[in-house]
Amino acid sequence: MSFDPFDGAARRQLNRLEATVSDLGLKFQELPECPLGLGFGVAWSATAFTVVSVNFEESVSLANVVAGVLKSVPQDRLAILNTCNLVTKDHPLFATYLHDASAGWDVLVGQRLPVDLLESQSGFFGQLLEYDPIRAESAVEKFAAAGIASARHTWDADDLQHLLIRGLA
């Protein structure tokens, strides 16, 4: 049973993105549907991967492209936000941000862009898929230099679903 209240609109959007990724010669892994939306992951290594998702509740077709920097970070908002700003300042297309939730705080790198743009500019989409994890790795180093360390996201079912939900929320 699907959670999609819009008669499969999210599925159609995700199918378009998956076709674009396939046309780029990349392999992806579709993720289990969650109450917020649908997504898939593209892996470069065990810690370098990107999750692409589409929300069920969007009236405009937007895709979330997200890579994990750190998960379950210590809850020091000022230090984390200052470091996020430092990292984002040098690469604003690759926004580094705090996702704070009652279930824990994560630092992510990502974009939210129209599906039409990602589909029509497939080379750009491919670069995002590749460079989000590179920017995430660079951010890990900056967070470590700021004294903020935590676990990395890894290419496993739990972390993929975790990033899917974080990217959608």
Side-chain angles (χ1 to χ4, degrees), residues 33-102:
E33 181 175 317
C34 76
L36 299 174
L38 304 166
F40 62 87
V42 177
W44 306 99
S45 74
T47 58
F49 59 94
T50 307
V51 172
V52 177
S53 61
V54 291
N55 294 67
F56 287 139
E57 298 294 332
E58 290 295 327
S59 60
V60 177
S61 300
L62 296 174
N64 309 293
V65 183
V66 175
V69 177
L70 297 171
K71 65 180 178 179
S72 302
V73 295
Q75 296 186 4
D76 183 347
R77 183 175 299 277
L78 183 59
I80 292 169
L81 292 177
N82 282 339
T83 307
C84 285
N85 287 342
L86 176 70
V87 173
T88 300
K89 178 184 73 158
D90 293 333
H91 301 280
L93 177 59
F94 299 93
T96 302
Y97 60 95
L98 170 64
H99 186 286
D100 55 345
S102 59

Side-chain angles (χ1 to χ4, degrees), residues 31-32 34 37-39 51-53 160-168:
L31 303 177
C34 76
L38 304 166
V51 172
V52 177
S53 61
L160 286 166
Q161 198 68 16
H162 181 86
L163 282 175
L164 171 65
I165 292 167
R166 293 293 170 116
L168 291 165

